[in-house]
């Protein structure tokens, strides 16, 4: 007789991107982001997805050795993206897949979603978790595109997630500008989580040591069986915007508010 | 002349100001067809509220939209786009609009550009990237040119529209019905203007110490929307929907007044493209002063009430 937990093994994938540090000033070279000049880190917003995936499995028996479930990190990016992946592994994910290929340099969201969907499709996952946005591309479309490509349920902009592994269902509250929606679906589903959902853990010393032994399976396009098309949106030109001209600065000694109003009036803003 | 589709942008059942902006951008490229997607019985009122250069309306009413959300909208739009083959599809740039655009791009094998702040007659989009520090011009080279356009960036032609209206019946595909929405709670709009549509935004940060009365006072005197930094929304002082910045809203009003906000790069990413920036901060070294057209070094609790008084005095 199988123990009940074996009847509901959950396989969760988390899509993470390595991005230039969001605190750094960025610039373009030949129509693409200059990635060499800035520090690369795990997309801050994807840390919330890693954390949420870990909380989901921990609430149902865990993913450590002997635990019922697993969390796999999936990333598309250059070889050095392994650094960002290690951070996710040191938080507690089990293993990782990195799709890295020179043909993918400068990939747009269409290609990125095709690559990620291809890997997810063959991995037998129940749930895929993403961040809401990569802090460099800032498109907020990849999770919806993955869902569209796979024909899986789309549960994005989640402010809370409740999973029932026995019933193979997941419910979220979707939080956007428009309001709050309660929604649910059966597995498999693609989720994205907002940054108010949790507080990502810091990797423990034990976690960091353990992450060094975890597998990062690096594959190229041929290995996942995908041929890459060129980007469908082409950059014609890019230029740094002229810096704002130095403004006026006054120290308030009782008249600051009045001076502010005079400035607005001078500019015909009131 | 080529045919350009726009998705009518709604706030609840009301046509948003962004819709006329989309129509104005679309008319530069071709003849504009506006798609109205709504619940049964609601389209007539929406159609009659449309303004801007719209020649045709395609209107679909379906119960499935409210029940299945983004995938259902994207599915119906993809069906019409596949049938009518417009050269471009313009949608408002917010979470909902961008996700629809992304799904339609996949369904119709098309390229996509998000967060355009301008569109030229030949379909070239202007985007401001890296927190507004860099201008990029780009163009879609495959399929329908699917672009999402940031509210409040294109000056709208709001002439009365008298379009030809086609009421179409279509059903949502099963694959787009995998999610079920069980409850919807729209954010109640306060009396103040919508943040992304406002001409003036007054924002407060950690410097308010949780007391937004002075910020709201100035906002109301100016007829402005109220924004907040993440420090203020994280602390629970102001709702998350009012957060300006990388993980909040991007605004580009005529005037942005930042009060008690230091100007972290993630905050600047959401307001850097404002036409005029005014700052009130007691720390002369705060980085927000670097992008200010006018800055007051001072305590916001002293400066803002005086400014509010001054604005009211000038208006009366
Ligand atoms: C991935 C990521 C995403 C983020 N997204 C956002 C985002 O979308 N939006 C956002 O805003 N931030 C965002 N942040 C956070 C950002 O880095 C800053 O922490 C935040 O903007 C700081 O808010 P603040 O300026 O209000 O607070 P602080 O940096 O603490 O600044 C408070 C300012 O108030 C001034 N002050 C204090 N008292 C007074 C007074 N009485 N009168 C006048 N001035 C006073 C101080 O001099 C100081 O300059 C993000 C961070 C990360 C890592
Ligand atoms: N290259 C990538 N590799 C893995 N995940 C990605 C990649 N690009 C985007 N994602 C995921 O999609 C989310 C939204 O990204 P974007 O649509 O680029 O703003 C991110 O938060 C990630 O979870």
């Amino acid at each position: 007789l199988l123990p009940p937990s074996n009847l509901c093994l959950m396989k969760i994938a988390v899509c993470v991107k390595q991005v230039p540090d969001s605190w750094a000033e960025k610039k373009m070279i030949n129509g693409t982001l200059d990635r060499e000049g800035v520090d690369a880190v795990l997309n801050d917003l994807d840390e919330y997805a890693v954390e949420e995936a870990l909380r989901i499995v921990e609430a149902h028996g865990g993913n450590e050795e002997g635990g019922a479930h697993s969390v796999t990190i999936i990333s598309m990016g250059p070889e050095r993206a392994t650094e960002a992946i290690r951070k996710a592994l040191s938080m507690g994910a089990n293993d990782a897949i990195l799709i890295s290929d020179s043909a993918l340099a400068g990939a747009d969201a269409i290609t990125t979603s095709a690559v990620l969907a291809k890997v997810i499709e063959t991995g037998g996952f129940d749930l895929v978790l993403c961040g809401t946005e990569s802090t460099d591309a800032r498109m907020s479309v990849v999770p919806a595109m993955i869902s569209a490509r796979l024909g899986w349920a789309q549960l994005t902009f989640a402010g809370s997630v409740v999973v029932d592994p026995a019933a193979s269902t997941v419910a979220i509250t979707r939080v956007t500008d428009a309001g709050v929606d309660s929604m649910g679906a059966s597995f498999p589903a693609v989720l994205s989580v907002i940054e108010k959902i949790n507080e990502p853990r810091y990797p423990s010393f034990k976690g960091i040591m353990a992450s060094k032994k975890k597998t990062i399976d690096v594959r190229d396009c041929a290995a996942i069986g995908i041929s890459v098309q060129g980007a469908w949106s082409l950059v014609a030109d890019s230029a740094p915007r002229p810096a704002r001209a130095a403004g006026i600065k006054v120290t308030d000694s009782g008249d600051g508010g009045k001076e502010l109003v005079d400035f607005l009036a001078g500019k015909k803003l009131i | 002349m080529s045919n350009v589709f726009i998705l009518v942008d709604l706030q609840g059942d009301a046509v948003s100001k962004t819709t006329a902006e989309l129509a104005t951008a679309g008319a530069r490229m071709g003849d504009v067809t506006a798609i109205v997607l709504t619940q049964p019985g609601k389209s007539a009122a929406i159609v009659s509220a449309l303004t801007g250069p719209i020649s045709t309306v395609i209107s679909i009413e379906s119960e499935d939209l409210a029940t299945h959300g983004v995938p259902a909208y994207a599915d119906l739009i993809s069906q019409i786009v596949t049938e009518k083959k417009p050269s471009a599809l313009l949608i408002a740039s917010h979470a909902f609009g961008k996700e629809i655009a992304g799904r339609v791009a996949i369904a119709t094998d098309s390229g996509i550009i998000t967060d355009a702040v301008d569109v030229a007659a030949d379909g070239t989009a202007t985007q401001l990237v890296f927190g507004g520090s860099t201008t990029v011009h780009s163009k879609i080279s495959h399929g329908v040119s699917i672009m999402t356009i940031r509210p409040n960036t294109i000056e709208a032609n709001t002439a009365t529209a008298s379009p030809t209206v086609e009421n179409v019946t279509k059903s949502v595909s099963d694959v787009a019905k995998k999610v079920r929405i069980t409850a919807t709670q729209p954010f109640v709009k306060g009396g103040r203007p919508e943040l992304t549509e406002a001409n003036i935004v007054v924002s407060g940060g950690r410097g308010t110490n949780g007391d937004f009365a002075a910020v709201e006072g100035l906002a109301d005197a100016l007829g402005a929307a109220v924004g907040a930094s993440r420090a203020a929304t994280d602390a629970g002082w102001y709702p998350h929907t009012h957060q300006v910045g990388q993980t909040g809203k991007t605004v580009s009003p005529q005037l942005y007044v930042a009060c008690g906000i230091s100007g972290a790069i993630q905050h600047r990413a959401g307001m850097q493209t404002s036409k005029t920036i005014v700052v009130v901060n007691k720390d002369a070294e705060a980085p927000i002063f670097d992008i200010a057209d006018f800055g007051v070094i001072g305590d916001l609790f002293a400066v803002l009430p005086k400014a509010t008084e001054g604005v009211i005095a000038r208006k009366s």
Side-chain angles (χ1 to χ4, degrees):
Chain A
L1 207 70
L2 291 169
S5 68
N6 281 8
L7 296 173
C8 48
L9 301 181
M10 276 187 291
K11 279 193 78 173
I12 302 184
V14 185
C15 294
V16 308
K17 186 176 184 184
Q18 172 175 271
V19 297
D21 192 343
S22 78
W23 295 91
E25 304 285 346
K26 300 171 201 120
K27 61 181 200 296
M28 301 275 271
I29 294 183
N30 300 327
T32 52
L33 173 60
D34 171 23
R35 289 178 194 275
E36 299 304 315
V38 285
D39 280 347
V41 296
L42 174 58
N43 181 24
D44 313 83
L45 299 174
D46 295 345
E47 286 185 28
Y48 300 90
V50 176
E51 176 65 32
E52 197 59 25
L54 294 171
R55 290 189 188 193
I56 292 170
V57 293
E58 284 163 1
H60 298 283
N63 66 325
E64 304 210 354
E65 246 172 283
H69 314 292
S70 67
V71 175
T72 299
I73 304 300
I74 300 179
S75 186
M76 181 191 104
E79 291 266 353
R80 74 167 178 159
T82 47
E83 296 160 28
I85 292 174
R86 284 283 169 219
K87 172 149 194 209
L89 291 174
S90 64
M91 288 171 73
N94 296 72
D95 52 16
I97 303 169
L98 170 65
I99 309 93
S100 197
D101 197 311
S102 55
L104 293 170
D108 58 4
I110 304 278
T111 301
T112 303
S113 64
V115 167
L116 296 174
K118 186 83 186 180
V119 174
I120 292 162
E121 195 173 26
T122 51
F125 297 104
D126 301 298
L127 298 174
V128 176
L129 269 68
C130 296
T132 47
E133 174 176 298
S134 53
T135 56
D136 56 347
R138 301 205 59 196
M139 290 184 73
S140 285
V141 294
V142 167
M145 285 181 167
I146 295 173
S147 148
R149 287 187 182 277
L150 296 171
W152 292 10
Q154 174 187 322
L155 296 168
T156 45
F157 290 88
S160 68
V161 176
V162 178
V163 172
D164 181 344
S168 297
T169 57
V170 49
I172 68 154
T173 51
R174 171 183 169 92
V175 183
T176 66
D177 300 353
V180 181
D181 296 323
S182 308
M183 51 175 76
S186 295
F187 293 174
V190 180
L191 285 72
S192 74
V193 302
I194 64 169
E195 97 278 15
K196 306 271 173 193
I197 194 170
N198 58 39
E199 194 55 58
R201 68 196 66 187
Y202 287 104
S204 65
F205 180 71
K206 190 171 151 244
I208 293 169
M209 295 314 287
S211 78
K212 299 196 165 132
K213 295 197 206 74
K214 291 176 178 171
T215 318
I216 302 178
D217 174 4
V218 184
R219 304 181 191 169
D220 60 12
C221 290
I224 62 165
I226 205 165
S227 56
V228 182
Q229 73 215 4
W232 286 349
S233 46
L234 300 175
V235 173
D237 60 76
S238 69
R241 296 216 324 151
R244 294 183 90 98
I248 307 160
K249 210 163 157 184
V250 300
T251 303
D252 178 41
S253 45
D255 280 348
K258 185 182 166 297
E259 287 170 87
L260 194 163
V261 175
D262 290 343
F263 171 80
L264 297 184
K267 281 253 177 189
K268 306 235 176 320
L269 286 161
I270 44 173
Chain B
M1 200 174 186
S2 71
N3 199 4
V4 175
F5 279 16
I6 66 165
L7 175 63
V8 170
D9 187 56
L10 300 173
Q11 272 160 12
D13 296 327
V15 175
S16 80
K17 194 177 140 199
T18 314
T19 304
E21 296 167 7
L22 296 175
T24 304
R28 295 176 190 159
M29 292 183 279
D31 228 23
V32 176
T33 297
I35 305 178
V36 173
L37 296 180
T38 186
Q39 280 144 196
K42 294 202 165 159
S43 70
I46 293 170
V47 172
S48 65
L50 292 174
T51 58
I54 298 171
S55 22
T56 312
V57 171
I58 296 181
S59 166
I60 305 182
E61 296 186 338
S62 168
E63 254 152 20
D64 288 331
L65 295 167
T67 323
H68 304 295
V70 169
Y73 282 84
D75 182 64
L76 292 177
I77 297 169
S78 302
Q79 292 183 38
I80 312 172
V81 165
T82 306
E83 221 172 275
K84 310 248 173 179
K85 303 194 169 37
S87 60
L89 170 66
L90 308 182
I91 300 179
S93 230
H94 38 49
F96 176 74
K98 291 209 266 189
E99 291 197 320
I100 291 175
R103 294 187 70 103
V104 175
I106 298 300
T108 62
D109 254 344
S110 302
I112 175 173
I113 287 173
T114 56
D115 290 300
V117 295
D118 204 4
V119 183
D122 70 347
T124 299
T126 307
Q127 289 162 289
L128 301 174
V129 299
F130 312 147
S133 64
T134 303
T135 307
V136 175
H137 291 111
S138 48
K139 204 172 164 176
I140 289 168
S141 58
H142 196 278
V144 182
S145 294
I146 299 178
M147 295 186 260
T148 70
I149 298 186
R150 267 196 202 154
N152 220 3
T153 52
I154 287 172
E155 191 157 343
N157 160 357
T158 52
T160 336
S162 43
T164 320
V165 182
E166 277 178 57
N167 292 304
V168 176
T169 315
K170 288 212 177 298
S171 45
V172 174
S173 319
D174 285 342
V175 67
K177 291 189 190 171
K178 297 209 164 155
V179 166
R180 179 161 290 276
I181 299 175
T182 49
T184 294
Q185 213 184 341
F187 283 120
V188 254
K189 274 189 57 167
R192 300 195 179 91
E194 177 65 25
L195 197 50
T196 52
E197 292 184 351
N199 285 325
I200 304 179
V201 175
V202 182
S203 286
R206 202 191 307 276
T208 62
N209 206 11
D211 181 359
F212 263 65
V215 170
E216 290 181 335
L218 180 61
D220 290 341
L222 290 167
V226 176
S229 72
R230 178 164 166 189
T233 61
D234 273 354
W237 298 339
Y238 228 70
H240 178 47
T241 43
H242 290 257
Q243 183 174 315
V244 171
Q246 184 176 317
T247 46
K249 290 182 177 163
T250 302
V251 299
S252 35
Q254 295 299 318
L255 170 65
Y256 188 90
V257 187
C259 312
I261 293 176
S262 63
I265 195 164
Q266 297 92 347
H267 185 80
R268 295 202 317 252
M271 45 67 73
Q272 191 136 251
T273 56
S274 305
K275 311 292 173 301
T276 300
I277 296 172
V278 168
V279 165
V280 180
N281 194 305
K282 66 180 183 191
D283 174 11
E285 302 302 318
I288 190 89
F289 281 113
D290 297 346
I291 56 167
D293 298 293
F294 187 85
V296 182
I297 305 162
D299 188 334
L300 68 90
F301 295 104
V303 177
L304 297 188
K306 290 247 167 76
T308 306
E309 254 172 53
V311 172
I312 293 169
R314 272 185 196 261
K315 282 195 169 171
S316 58

